[in-house]
Amino acid sequence: MLAAILVNGLVLSGIYGMLALGFALTYGVARILNLAHTAFYMAASYFLFFLLGYTGFLPAALLAALLVLGLALLAYRFLLEPLREHEATVLIVTIAIALLFQEVLLLLFGGHFRSVPALLPGFVELLGVRVAQQALLALAFAALVLLLAWAFLKGSRIGLAIRAAAQDMEAAELVGVSLSRAGYWAVGLGALLAALAGLAVAPMATLEPHMWTAPLLVVLAAVVLGGLGSLPGALLGAVILAFAEVVVVNLVPGGAFLRTAVALSVLVLVLVLKPEGLFGTSFAEER
Amino acid sequence: MRRTWAKASLLALLALGGSAFAQVIRVGVVGPMAFVQGEHTWYGATLAAEEINREGGVVVGGRPFRIELVRVDTNEITSVTDAATAVERAITAQRVDFLIGGFRSEAVLAMSEVAADYKKPFIITGAALDGILAGRVDRNYERFKYLFRVSPNKSSDLARTSLLLLGEVVQAVRQQLNLSRPKVAILAERAAWADPLVETASRLIAAPPPQGYGAEVVGVWRPSATATDVTPELTAIQRAQAQVIYTVLSGPVGVPFGRDWGRLKIPAAPVGINVEAQQETWLQATDGLGVYVATLNTLAPGVAITPKTLPFISNFQSRFKRFPIYTASGAYVALHILKEAILRAGSLEADAVVKALEATDYVGPSGRIVFDKVHDVTWGPGYTTGLGVQWVGSRMQAFWPRAWRVGDRVVGYAGVRPYQLPPWVVEAWRR
């Protein structure tokens, strides 16, 4: 049982981790609680599904990621940046964007369940547990994407600007960092991470126009659990929630439907004991 | 002036000559039209309306009436309130005379309240909850007499059939794998309708023959109906060493189940209810991994339940280029039943049509339709029973009823083939 929990928990962590990092990045720098984050993830999966009818996996995936990036930057330029100071309005606009995506996909593809063929079919046995090769590929891809994102943020001038803006906007502006440009980079990078998560998950997921809602809940929980705005916190939050879900299914099979509820209870418990989350600042002190 | 009169007369003549019908009967076809269930309700009704109109429509009091369908998109999968509002609008603004369709039980409960309030006969074609009719039509006849159901069979009858299918697979495991006491895992979505089914199945599986199946229940897993990943559940089922998985899945979770089960080649044969596996898009939806999944269904290619089954499937496929699901055959038969009832009543008046509907005895594509005292479709040999289907290769084929013994009768349909255990199940357990 321990092996099953370990292997399945790790795979789920990779997927949640990618989504959570992108969300945390957008909030950390652009200060946008982007409730459309998982709608971008859904859009990438659908773009991939659609483009696979015309071209191979790699060009389709690349194009899908670029299209999502373009959509995110347009949304930021015309809808979110002008409203950035009004946090509640931004929240409403992002949820409206997500619902718009949902309705457009419903109109174009109907409510049917779609799937994208796996790049790596079949399974391997790890510690006596059957794991889909596609899931391992997604895990490796997630690790690579997270490392690259980390390297970009730590090692490039733009990364430095993004981190400076995340730490102290006014000070960063005083030393010549363009907050607007840093905002664009953060939103773009966040959307790109969502798109890459969508591309990694598409061959394992069921595509349907409401697929953005379930991961959004987990991502929000992971980011708050880790501490709003903290990138390592978001990753740790994702790992904790993923393992909480897998433990519930293995230890309480009759209550498997409670997996998300139990994960959210872990979140509440942590927040009661440590209101700022594991790595972040508290809600009261935010900004 | 003369030319204007001539033109008007010509137009009038053309209008009269263009249609032999003086009036129309407006039938509201209700369902979630963006989803396959609603789409097929509309297609089934369209096919029936075209047939009826081609044959001269419905003659009432010596006057021919044309059937005119009104598309009522209920959006019921996401909103029960939308569904009730859509039905009310169809009755008050679009002036429908009758209603057919409905898919989600919760929404149909609300929609049927509206229909009953407006005294509009409503023939349900998609929702299974027993309580839509039982406890309403019998206890408050005057209010709810307008409600009928032609498909699917009610939940408790679906349960009965799915357990017969489970018995068939347990028997296959026992005989082909030489296992005297097969192990069964129960995977049922967390929903009220599934609870009694889990309880009954647990009892029946463990009870000794001939009452029960003489097998062992190794565990009950209850994922959410909308879960997108059931890998942990499947890993646990594999660890429990089950040879059979009894599925009770009506929600979207059926797709990830089929996909993950096939991808991980879990050595346990799934059978029971999996609504997603009833559709021809099953293999596409599961990326081809849902082969060997077995489920309860209404129709299957090449299986003639009645003399009307194959012509219906063939007409439907040539008209709409797809295989009909149960809401399609339900809506098709509902419209024909309605037409016959109007003819018998000789009137369009709701109460007279209800009386005539109660006397229905109609053979449709999925079986013989006779309503019971709560206006529900009768289940059993000689009426409607459903089919057990399994995905083999690239197609859906029926495996039940083949030699179903009911008293002295042996029930079976032409075109039904033996059940096939998945090869990796055989490989893992053969002794």
Side-chain angles (χ1 to χ4, degrees):
Chain A
M1 183 182 294
L2 207 62
I5 292 173
L6 188 71
V7 174
N8 285 321
L10 213 57
V11 171
L12 204 56
S13 300
I15 293 159
Y16 286 170
M18 254 194 303
L19 277 171
L21 183 72
F23 188 94
L25 197 65
T26 315
Y27 179 77
V29 180
R31 292 286 183 226
I32 289 170
L33 264 179
N34 182 14
L35 298 185
H37 188 67
T38 49
F40 288 126
Y41 144 93
M42 171 172 75
S45 302
Y46 265 94
F47 276 133
L48 178 67
F49 168 76
F50 176 73
L51 293 167
L52 277 177
Y54 300 93
T55 176
F57 193 93
L58 217 58
L62 198 67
L63 203 55
L66 288 175
L67 282 167
V68 168
L69 181 64
L71 276 178
L73 291 177
L74 280 175
Y76 182 62
R77 169 71 185 84
F78 293 106
L79 301 174
L80 300 175
E81 199 183 17
L83 300 168
R84 218 169 78 171
E85 297 305 317
H86 310 280
E87 287 183 5
T89 317
V90 166
L91 267 185
I92 294 165
V93 171
T94 56
I95 200 92
I97 292 172
L99 287 170
L100 186 71
F101 276 26
Q102 175 187 300
E103 295 306 313
V104 168
L105 288 177
L106 204 55
L107 205 65
L108 295 177
F109 295 93
H112 309 284
F113 298 110
R114 315 281 185 171
S115 82
V116 168
L119 272 180
L120 278 184
F123 66 90
V124 287
E125 286 215 13
L126 287 181
L127 308 170
V129 180
R130 292 187 179 187
V131 192
Q133 298 210 62
Q134 184 64 41
L136 287 180
L137 183 68
L139 181 61
F141 181 72
L144 180 71
V145 166
L146 294 176
L147 276 173
L148 284 176
W150 206 253
F152 176 75
L153 288 171
K154 286 280 181 189
S156 69
R157 283 183 65 83
I158 301 158
L160 183 68
I162 289 175
R163 283 186 296 126
Q167 270 180 17
D168 190 329
M169 287 199 177
E170 284 174 8
E173 202 166 22
L174 280 175
V175 296
V177 170
S178 161
L179 289 185
S180 171
R181 194 182 298 168
Y184 274 102
W185 273 100
V187 167
L189 206 55
L192 200 60
L193 280 168
L196 293 177
L199 297 176
V201 167
M204 300 188 297
T206 306
L207 274 54
E208 53 96 19
H210 303 96
M211 64 182 278
W212 64 281
T213 50
L216 178 64
L217 197 67
V218 177
V219 165
L220 276 173
V223 170
V224 174
L225 179 60
L228 262 174
S230 161
L231 303 186
L235 285 177
L236 186 65
V239 172
I240 291 172
L241 292 179
F243 273 91
E245 285 192 18
V246 173
V247 165
V248 170
V249 173
N250 277 277
L251 296 186
V252 200
F257 63 97
L258 293 171
R259 57 197 279 190
T260 312
V262 169
L264 293 181
S265 305
V266 172
L267 161 77
V268 172
L269 200 68
V270 170
L271 289 184
V272 167
L273 299 173
K274 198 169 163 33
E276 69 275 21
L278 296 173
F279 282 89
T281 51
S282 76
F283 283 116
E285 290 163 15
E286 245 339 287
R287 303 191 68 197
Chain B
M1 187 68 169
R2 196 187 289 167
R3 273 174 65 184
T4 314
W5 269 108
K7 242 190 215 169
S9 312
L10 186 65
L11 279 174
L13 271 174
L14 276 174
L16 283 174
S19 167
F21 302 105
Q23 297 190 57
V24 294
I25 299 170
R26 290 169 72 79
V27 180
V29 180
V30 303
M33 297 303 177
F35 294 80
V36 67
Q37 294 86 358
E39 200 178 46
H40 278 237
T41 310
W42 176 253
Y43 291 154
T46 303
L47 195 64
E50 286 171 357
E51 284 175 10
I52 294 168
N53 288 339
R54 215 171 24 241
E55 289 161 10
V58 190
V59 180
V60 185
R63 288 181 302 163
F65 283 75
R66 184 171 63 88
I67 298 277
E68 185 178 294
L69 299 182
V70 176
R71 192 181 169 98
V72 184
D73 189 350
T74 54
N75 191 32
E76 62 196 81
I77 288 181
T78 45
S79 165
V80 171
T81 324
D82 282 7
T85 312
V87 165
E88 183 146 25
R89 193 176 56 238
I91 295 169
T92 55
Q94 295 168 297
R95 302 275 168 202
V96 300
D97 303 299
F98 303 98
L99 293 156
I100 63 172
F103 164 64
R104 191 177 149 203
S105 289
E106 298 90 321
V108 171
L109 275 171
M111 292 191 282
S112 56
E113 292 273 339
V114 178
D117 285 345
Y118 283 96
K119 300 186 188 308
K120 293 287 173 194
F122 182 6
I123 306 178
I124 296 152
T125 64
L129 187 74
D130 288 35
I132 290 174
L133 299 172
R136 294 169 100 200
V137 177
D138 47 346
R139 292 206 185 148
N140 194 350
Y141 180 80
E142 275 315 308
R143 177 153 188 250
F144 291 114
K145 65 184 176 187
Y146 303 96
L147 311 181
F148 292 82
R149 169 162 48 200
V150 293
S151 73
N153 288 113
K154 61 181 181 286
S155 294
S156 51
D157 288 336
L158 293 180
R160 220 185 312 196
T161 320
S162 71
L163 288 167
L164 286 166
L165 305 186
L166 171 66
E168 194 91 349
V169 175
V170 166
Q171 195 57 17
V173 166
R174 187 173 281 133
Q175 286 174 352
Q176 292 176 41
L177 305 182
N178 203 19
L179 292 163
S180 58
R181 197 168 159 77
K183 292 178 176 172
V184 182
I186 299 176
L187 185 84
E189 71 186 23
R190 183 68 219 179
W193 76 275
D195 295 346
L197 209 48
V198 170
E199 205 188 303
T200 313
S202 304
R203 248 197 342 261
L204 194 71
I205 292 165
Q211 284 81 18
Y213 297 153
E216 183 188 340
V217 180
V218 294
V220 179
W221 283 264
R222 303 295 304 267
S224 147
T226 53
T228 52
D229 168 36
V230 284
T231 311
E233 282 89 338
L234 287 170
T235 308
I237 286 172
Q238 185 206 344
R239 213 182 48 241
Q241 301 206 309
Q243 288 98 25
V244 182
I245 307 174
Y246 175 58
T247 58
V248 187
L249 309 171
S250 74
V253 64
V255 175
F257 165 76
R259 191 196 50 219
D260 295 343
W261 172 81
R263 181 169 290 159
L264 300 176
K265 295 226 178 329
I266 300 296
V271 62
I273 298 175
N274 185 341
V275 171
E276 291 304 323
Q278 297 174 350
Q279 300 167 30
E280 65 174 342
T281 50
W282 170 247
L283 290 182
Q284 275 170 289
T286 57
D287 190 18
L289 296 163
V291 186
Y292 293 107
V293 166
T295 178
L296 178 74
N297 208 349
T298 304
L299 299 171
V303 177
I305 300 169
T306 74
K308 287 186 186 166
T309 315
L310 295 182
F312 167 73
I313 293 175
S314 152
N315 291 342
F316 191 92
Q317 284 185 310
S318 58
R319 176 77 171 80
F320 302 109
K321 312 286 175 247
R322 57 200 77 193
F323 189 81
I325 67 165
Y326 73 99
T327 55
S329 56
Y332 175 83
V333 95
L335 206 59
H336 277 291
I337 282 174
L338 182 62
K339 174 206 156 187
E340 303 263 315
I342 293 170
L343 288 179
R344 280 198 302 276
S347 158
L348 292 172
E349 196 267 320
D351 283 21
V353 174
V354 164
K355 275 280 162 231
L357 275 170
E358 286 173 342
T360 295
D361 190 341
Y362 184 87
V363 175
S366 59
R368 179 178 159 210
I369 308 284
V370 174
F371 294 117
D372 63 14
K373 65 178 186 344
V374 295
H375 294 181
D376 219 334
V377 61
T378 309
W379 179 91
Y383 296 97
T384 64
T385 57
L387 295 173
V389 302
Q390 181 184 23
W391 287 89
V392 179
S394 59
R395 63 193 291 264
M396 184 203 292
Q397 69 183 36
F399 68 93
W400 184 91
R402 206 164 62 92
W404 178 30
R405 293 190 174 278
V406 188
D408 295 335
R409 289 177 68 177
V410 178
V411 183
Y413 303 133
V416 176
R417 291 150 193 267
Y419 172 79
Q420 290 184 35
L421 278 170
W424 59 89
V425 175
V426 176
E427 197 183 316
W429 298 106
R430 177 160 273 167
R431 292 180 176 177

